[in-house]
PDB file of all heavy atoms in Angstrom:
ATOM      1  N   ASP A 147     -55.303 -97.864  -8.927  1.00  0.00           N
ATOM      2  CA  ASP A 147     -54.560 -98.682  -9.891  1.00  0.00           C
ATOM      3  C   ASP A 147     -54.061 -97.781 -11.007  1.00  0.00           C
ATOM      4  O   ASP A 147     -54.768 -97.481 -11.980  1.00  0.00           O
ATOM      5  CB  ASP A 147     -55.470 -99.779 -10.447  1.00  0.00           C
ATOM      6  CG  ASP A 147     -54.670-100.784 -11.296  1.00  0.00           C
ATOM      7  OD1 ASP A 147     -53.538-100.447 -11.673  1.00  0.00           O
ATOM      8  OD2 ASP A 147     -55.206-101.853 -11.575  1.00  0.00           O
ATOM      9  N   ARG A 160     -57.922 -85.705  -7.422  1.00  0.00           N
ATOM     10  CA  ARG A 160     -59.065 -85.096  -6.732  1.00  0.00           C
ATOM     11  C   ARG A 160     -59.093 -85.519  -5.271  1.00  0.00           C
ATOM     12  O   ARG A 160     -59.477 -84.730  -4.407  1.00  0.00           O
ATOM     13  CB  ARG A 160     -60.362 -85.473  -7.452  1.00  0.00           C
ATOM     14  CG  ARG A 160     -60.489 -84.877  -8.853  1.00  0.00           C
ATOM     15  CD  ARG A 160     -61.837 -85.164  -9.486  1.00  0.00           C
ATOM     16  NE  ARG A 160     -61.885 -84.669 -10.837  1.00  0.00           N
ATOM     17  CZ  ARG A 160     -62.131 -83.416 -11.180  1.00  0.00           C
ATOM     18  NH1 ARG A 160     -62.406 -82.513 -10.222  1.00  0.00           N
ATOM     19  NH2 ARG A 160     -62.175 -83.035 -12.440  1.00  0.00           N
ATOM     20  N   ALA A 239     -38.164-104.370  -1.897  1.00  0.00           N
ATOM     21  CA  ALA A 239     -39.095-103.494  -1.186  1.00  0.00           C
ATOM     22  C   ALA A 239     -38.319-102.432  -0.411  1.00  0.00           C
ATOM     23  O   ALA A 239     -37.184-102.655   0.002  1.00  0.00           O
ATOM     24  CB  ALA A 239     -39.971-104.305  -0.225  1.00  0.00           C
ATOM     25  N   ASN A 241     -38.737 -99.293   2.791  1.00  0.00           N
ATOM     26  CA  ASN A 241     -39.577 -98.925   3.923  1.00  0.00           C
ATOM     27  C   ASN A 241     -39.023 -97.704   4.631  1.00  0.00           C
ATOM     28  O   ASN A 241     -37.821 -97.402   4.539  1.00  0.00           O
ATOM     29  CB  ASN A 241     -39.722-100.076   4.889  1.00  0.00           C
ATOM     30  CG  ASN A 241     -38.412-100.388   5.606  1.00  0.00           C
ATOM     31  OD1 ASN A 241     -37.984 -99.670   6.470  1.00  0.00           O
ATOM     32  ND2 ASN A 241     -37.737-101.479   5.202  1.00  0.00           N
ATOM     33  N   VAL A 574     -53.192 -37.179 -15.465  1.00  0.00           N
ATOM     34  CA  VAL A 574     -53.557 -38.394 -14.708  1.00  0.00           C
ATOM     35  C   VAL A 574     -52.706 -38.511 -13.451  1.00  0.00           C
ATOM     36  O   VAL A 574     -51.544 -38.088 -13.436  1.00  0.00           O
ATOM     37  CB  VAL A 574     -53.390 -39.666 -15.573  1.00  0.00           C
ATOM     38  CG1 VAL A 574     -54.357 -39.651 -16.735  1.00  0.00           C
ATOM     39  CG2 VAL A 574     -51.957 -39.809 -16.064  1.00  0.00           C
ATOM     40  N   PRO A 577     -49.108 -43.596  -9.322  1.00  0.00           N
ATOM     41  CA  PRO A 577     -48.991 -44.226  -7.998  1.00  0.00           C
ATOM     42  C   PRO A 577     -48.249 -43.313  -7.013  1.00  0.00           C
ATOM     43  O   PRO A 577     -47.235 -42.733  -7.324  1.00  0.00           O
ATOM     44  CB  PRO A 577     -48.162 -45.501  -8.309  1.00  0.00           C
ATOM     45  CG  PRO A 577     -48.513 -45.823  -9.704  1.00  0.00           C
ATOM     46  CD  PRO A 577     -48.680 -44.506 -10.397  1.00  0.00           C
ATOM     47  N   THR A 804     -31.960 -27.632  -9.077  1.00  0.00           N
ATOM     48  CA  THR A 804     -31.473 -28.865  -8.449  1.00  0.00           C
ATOM     49  C   THR A 804     -31.929 -30.091  -9.215  1.00  0.00           C
ATOM     50  O   THR A 804     -33.125 -30.242  -9.513  1.00  0.00           O
ATOM     51  CB  THR A 804     -32.016 -28.984  -6.997  1.00  0.00           C
ATOM     52  OG1 THR A 804     -31.699 -27.776  -6.272  1.00  0.00           O
ATOM     53  CG2 THR A 804     -31.391 -30.165  -6.273  1.00  0.00           C
TER      54      THR A 804
END
Side-chain angles (χ1 to χ4, degrees):
D147 188 344
R160 294 185 183 277
N241 68 74
V574 295
T804 307

